[in-house]
Amino acid sequence: MKNAPSTSIQNRFDHAGIAVSGLCALHCLASIMLVPTLGIGGQFFFASEFHGVALVLAIVIAAITIGWGAFKHRLAAPIVIALTGLCFMVGALLVPHGSKEVALTLIGVGLVTLGHVLNLRTRKPASASTSI
C-alpha cells in the first residue's frame, strides 16, 4: 500500500491524458464541422500555435505517465501504442488543414488514449495484489 500516493498521481495523469485526447478529438471534429458550415472559430481552430501547444501538452503527459508506468510494469504495449499515436499527431501538423490532418489526428488521439487506458489497466492488478 506504500505505492498508493504515486499510483493515485499516475492514475490522475492517465485520466488527464485521456481527457486531453478527447478534447483534441472534439476540437478536430469541431474544426471540420463548425468552421465550414457556420464560418466561426477559424482563427482558433486552425491556429498553428494552438496545435503546437496541444501537441507538447500531449507529449509531456504521455511521457510522464506512460513512461513512468512502463518503468514500473515493464510492459512495452502502452508506450509503443502511445508513441505511435504521438507520431501520427506530429504527422498531422505537417500536412495542410483538411481531411488528411483530421484522419492523422484522430488516429493519433485514439492510439494515445489506448496507451493511457492500457497503462491504467496494468496498474489495477498490481494495486489489488499489494492490498492483500
Side-chain angles (χ1 to χ4, degrees):
M1 198 68 156
K2 66 181 179 179
N3 289 337
S6 68
T7 300
S8 174
I9 292 168
Q10 287 176 291
N11 287 348
R12 287 181 186 162
F13 267 96
D14 273 320
H15 285 106
I18 292 167
V20 168
S21 294
L23 289 172
C24 183
L26 184 65
H27 166 86
C28 190
L29 291 172
S31 70
I32 62 170
M33 292 177 174
L34 292 179
V35 176
T37 57
L38 301 177
I40 57 172
Q43 291 177 337
F44 170 73
F45 285 113
F46 296 133
S48 60
E49 298 84 13
F50 176 82
H51 293 118
V53 169
L55 180 60
V56 168
L57 180 64
I59 290 170
V60 168
I61 291 173
I64 291 170
T65 307
I66 297 176
W68 189 356
F71 180 75
K72 289 181 117 178
H73 53 63
R74 303 281 189 215
L75 295 175
I79 199 161
V80 169
I81 291 169
L83 282 173
T84 303
L86 291 169
C87 288
F88 272 95
M89 292 169 70
V90 168
L93 287 179
L94 301 176
V95 298
H97 294 298
S99 60
K100 290 179 185 177
E101 177 194 24
V102 171
L104 290 170
T105 301
L106 292 178
I107 291 168
V109 165
L111 289 171
V112 171
T113 300
L114 178 60
H116 283 292
V117 169
L118 291 175
N119 205 41
L120 279 168
R121 287 185 179 174
T122 59
R123 279 198 296 277
K124 298 292 183 193
S127 64
S129 65
T130 57
S131 63
I132 295 176

